[in-house]
Amino acid sequence: MADRYFVQNPIEGQQARLAGAEAHHLAHVMRAKPGHEVVLFDGSGAEFTARVQRVCRSEIDLVVISRDQIDRELSVPLSLGVALPKGDRQRWLVEKAVELGVARLVPLETERSSDRQSPAVLERLRRAVIEASKQCGRNRLMEIDSPRKLPDFLAAAPREAVRLLAHPGAKDCQGVLDGFFNGKQLPRQIVLAIGPEGGFTQAELDLALASGWQSVGFGPRILRVETAALALVATVTARMQHE
Ligand code: SAH
């Protein structure tokens, strides 16, 4: 998946333009000259083969040669609500969530979460989404929503979705998934929730269970937030068909 570049504006017609960090990388790291071919994506689900036409100081003009609708998404859309850990660990979580195919990540505000995510932090994480998408080949960007309070997030998940909340000591995740992935139809949507370092409170757990969520466990060890998030996403996505 080398040489993929993200174009901020939707690509229409035969022309495309790279700016900012993407143009800098292509011009100064790859030392691209007119004629150099690259793959572009704009987050719409398509990818484009394009040829460099003109290299300027901070912009690169390209001619679009072909447009291909190439879907590398999961067969069931997956939303992940997570009380984000701090610093590098949140960036790591975002990168891995993109690679595993999460469609939407919702930062959760819970009773025991520490600080709120600032808009600048969320912007940095959106940049990490683009970097991970370049690397893993996704042509749709994982959305990062504005932070939501846990009760709102729990209530907004459709009742027909598979709704799983990770909690130490809960019934083993595999056993719970057996009930949903039983060889018949795949679920239409999956929504997952991971708590903060301090865990969900009993009241939060009770609220989730009362509104039809199921709690799932990953054995007797306490996992860090990002480990639990990836364990849950990987366990669920392993039940989907990968084409
Ligand atoms: N301090 C809490 C643990 C918090 S770990 C306690 O001792 O209970 C952070 C989050 O990761 C949890 O809220 C839960 O969503 C998830 N998690 C961690 N370990 C888990 C496990 N063994 N099973 C299921 N979820 C787990």
Side-chain angles (χ1 to χ4, degrees), residues 40-210:
L40 305 178
F41 67 111
D42 60 1
S44 66
E47 65 183 38
F48 307 79
T49 306
R51 194 171 290 137
V52 172
Q53 195 176 32
R54 202 166 65 98
V55 182
C56 299
R57 245 175 187 288
S58 56
E59 284 174 347
I60 296 184
D61 290 327
L62 303 106
V63 182
V64 175
I65 304 167
S66 66
R67 175 188 203 283
D68 298 292
Q69 196 68 31
I70 299 181
D71 192 16
R72 299 195 179 95
E73 299 305 300
L74 296 172
S75 41
V76 183
L78 199 156
S79 298
L80 174 65
V82 53
L84 285 173
K86 291 200 179 123
D88 285 352
R89 290 166 50 215
Q90 64 178 219
R91 193 193 152 93
W92 189 86
L93 192 164
V94 163
E95 184 180 296
K96 303 307 156 201
V98 171
E99 290 170 33
L100 288 170
V102 173
R104 195 167 68 102
L105 185 142
V106 185
L108 293 182
E109 291 175 7
T110 67
E111 287 181 34
R112 296 190 182 132
S113 312
S114 40
D115 25 44
R116 288 203 65 181
Q117 308 301 326
S118 71
V121 165
L122 295 179
E123 237 1 88
R124 262 208 306 282
L125 293 180
R126 292 192 179 104
R127 183 68 221 169
V129 170
I130 293 172
E131 289 305 321
S133 304
K134 287 165 69 174
Q135 182 274 328
C136 77
R138 277 181 83 174
N139 290 324
R140 289 190 191 282
L141 298 185
M142 180 179 83
E143 288 172 43
I144 298 190
D145 280 11
S146 314
R148 290 194 92 163
K149 292 196 187 323
L150 180 72
D152 298 338
F153 178 75
L154 294 175
R159 298 192 79 79
E160 65 277 12
V162 172
R163 294 169 292 166
L164 306 175
L165 173 139
H167 195 66
K171 186 176 168 194
D172 185 70
C173 187
Q174 294 288 4
V176 175
L177 289 179
D178 286 343
F180 289 115
F181 293 84
N182 43 19
K184 293 187 220 132
Q185 260 187 331
L186 281 174
R188 297 256 300 279
Q189 197 184 339
I190 299 173
V191 188
L192 308 174
I194 305 287
E197 280 319 335
F200 289 121
T201 62
Q202 187 61 44
E204 288 175 328
L205 178 65
D206 291 345
L207 177 67
L209 298 178

Side-chain angles (χ1 to χ4, degrees), residues 112 165-170 193-200 216-225 228-229:
R112 296 190 182 132
L165 173 139
H167 195 66
I194 305 287
E197 280 319 335
F200 289 121
V216 292
F218 288 98
R221 292 162 306 283
I222 299 296
L223 310 176
R224 300 205 84 158
V225 175

